[in-house]
Amino acid sequence: MAAKVVYYGTDAVDIGYPVANETPVAGITKDFWEKITIDFSKKHLVADDWADFYEIPERMFIYEMFAVVKEHDGQDNELAIADVDSDDNVEWIDNIDDSAIDNYTITNHNNTNGAVGGKFYPAGGNLYISAVAATEVDATILDVYIHAIMLD
C-alpha cells in the first residue's frame, strides 16, 4: 500500500545554499536560491510511496525549481516533485530521470505551478517527491534547487 514517508529532519535530507557570491540573510527581502540534497541511499523510497522532504515556511513565494542527479542507481525511476500530499503528483517537476549523473529537470511550465510563474504559500506547506515508475529508489542522490523570496 502506498504511504507518505517523512524525509526532512533525517540524515537523508540536507538543506543549505548553493555556492554563490553571497548567502541570503534571514530577514532581508530579496530572492534567493536554496539547495536541498536528498540522499536515497540513507533512506530508501519504495514504489508508490512519496517523501515529505521540505517544509515550506509561511509567506514564501517559490518562483521555480530544478533537480540535478548527483549519484544514480542506474534505472530511470521517473521521480516527481509536488506540493500535494499524495503519490504521483507533478505540480512542480515531473519525469526526473535519475539514470545518469548530471541529468537535470526544470520546472515544467505546463504543470500547475510552472504555468502561472510560481506559487505563494501564505500558511507554508511541504514539498514531496514520489517514485512514479520505480521498484525502489535506493542509491540516487538528488539536489533540488528552489528559487524563492520571503514576503512580509
Side-chain angles (χ1 to χ4, degrees):
M1 176 173 8
K4 176 175 83 173
V5 182
V6 176
Y7 271 56
Y8 66 85
T10 71
D11 66 351
V13 175
D14 180 45
I15 299 174
Y17 298 100
V19 176
N21 290 336
E22 294 182 40
T23 299
V25 178
I28 295 178
T29 311
K30 63 179 181 178
D31 64 320
F32 59 92
W33 285 90
E34 194 164 27
K35 175 183 172 185
I36 298 101
T37 300
I38 306 168
D39 187 345
F40 291 104
S41 70
K42 293 182 178 178
K43 192 166 186 177
H44 299 188
L45 185 65
V46 298
D48 299 324
D49 282 0
W50 61 100
D52 185 349
F53 74 93
Y54 181 76
E55 288 185 287
I56 302 168
E58 288 181 10
R59 308 205 47 78
M60 177 182 263
F61 182 90
I62 297 178
Y63 294 104
E64 60 191 325
M65 65 181 69
F66 67 93
V68 179
V69 177
K70 287 177 60 176
E71 295 292 333
H72 67 92
D73 58 8
Q75 58 186 353
D76 179 4
N77 291 311
E78 295 180 24
L79 301 165
I81 295 176
D83 57 6
V84 178
D85 189 2
S86 63
D87 189 30
D88 295 350
N89 283 289
V90 295
E91 280 71 24
W92 278 108
I93 304 177
D94 61 352
N95 296 322
I96 300 170
D97 177 359
D98 72 338
S99 65
I101 293 173
D102 291 335
N103 279 355
Y104 68 93
T105 310
I106 62 171
T107 300
N108 184 337
H109 293 285
N110 293 321
N111 290 349
T112 307
N113 298 334
V116 296
K119 184 173 180 179
F120 179 50
Y121 296 89
N126 295 73
L127 290 176
Y128 305 91
I129 190 164
S130 60
V132 179
T135 53
E136 181 176 53
V137 186
D138 58 7
T140 299
I141 299 175
L142 190 70
D143 284 338
V144 179
Y145 295 86
I146 298 173
H147 183 202
I149 189 169
M150 298 303 298
L151 304 175
D152 52 358

